Amino acid sequence: MRIKHSAARPLQLGVTLIELVVFIVVISIALVAVLAVYQQSIINSVDPIKRIRMLELAQAQMDRVIALRYDEATPSGGIPACNSVSGPVCNNTTEPDLDDVDDYNGFSDTPAVGYSRQVTVTNTTLDGAQAKEINVVVSSTDGESLTLTSYRVNF
C-alpha cells in the first residue's frame, strides 16, 4: 500500500527549529518561576521552628518572673499586699537575689546558642491598682526578635 502525497501539502514528520526554540524558551521561563517559589519556601521553612523556639524561651523566663513575689516586702502568699491599709510598705529595692519581680529588671542571658534574652520591669498602674509591666524580649542572631508582655499586680 502506497501513500500518495499531494504537491500542495507536503507531509510533516517533525517540528521546525523555530517551534523547538519557542518551546524551550517557554519551558525555561516556567521552570524559573517554579524554582523561585520553591527556593523561597525552602529559605522560610525554618522560620516556624525558630519562632517557636523563641516563644518557648520567652515563656519560660516569663513564667519564672511571674511566679515571684510582687515586692521584697510582700509576705508569703501575697496577703496583705504591700502598701495596702494593713500591709507592709513596698520597698522596691533591687538586689541580686532574684526573689521578687523587680530583681529581674535589666536581667539578660543567653539561654541557647544563637538566642539572647532580656527582661525589663517597670512600675505602672492598672485601673488604679499598683502593677509591674514585665517585658521579655528574645532575639536571634539574624536580628529577629519576639516580645512577651505581662503585668504583675500587687494583690
Side-chain angles (χ1 to χ4, degrees):
M1 180 172 232
R2 231 173 165 182
I3 301 174
K4 292 185 179 183
H5 302 289
S6 69
R9 186 168 178 222
L11 179 66
Q12 276 190 326
L13 297 176
V15 295
T16 65
L17 182 60
I18 294 173
E19 290 171 338
L20 185 61
V21 169
V22 168
F23 174 76
I24 290 172
V25 168
V26 168
I27 292 299
S28 298
I29 291 170
L31 186 61
V32 166
V34 168
L35 287 178
V37 169
Y38 183 69
Q39 177 188 13
Q40 190 66 26
S41 69
I42 286 178
I43 289 171
N44 293 328
S45 67
V46 77
D47 283 350
I49 296 168
K50 182 175 61 173
R51 287 186 191 116
I52 288 172
R53 180 71 175 148
M54 291 170 64
L55 181 60
E56 288 172 344
L57 294 171
Q59 187 64 51
Q61 185 65 41
M62 183 66 77
D63 289 345
R64 270 187 227 108
V65 176
I66 288 292
L68 298 174
R69 296 182 297 174
Y70 178 82
D71 186 79
E72 291 280 341
T74 301
S76 182
I79 299 174
C82 63
N83 282 354
S84 65
V85 174
S86 61
V89 175
C90 293
N91 61 15
N92 291 325
T93 60
T94 303
E95 297 177 14
D97 55 3
L98 301 177
D99 65 345
D100 67 287
V101 175
D102 285 330
D103 293 345
Y104 274 91
N105 189 28
F107 178 83
S108 65
D109 67 345
T110 305
V113 176
Y115 298 95
S116 63
R117 184 169 54 188
Q118 297 84 30
V119 180
T120 57
V121 179
T122 55
N123 292 320
T124 186
T125 57
L126 293 175
D127 293 331
Q130 293 178 352
K132 294 182 181 178
E133 180 180 337
I134 305 160
N135 292 304
V136 177
V137 179
V138 176
S139 303
S140 64
T141 53
D142 64 357
E144 190 172 348
S145 66
L146 178 130
T147 303
L148 286 184
T149 301
S150 185
Y151 293 91
R152 180 72 161 85
V153 179
N154 185 21
F155 59 89

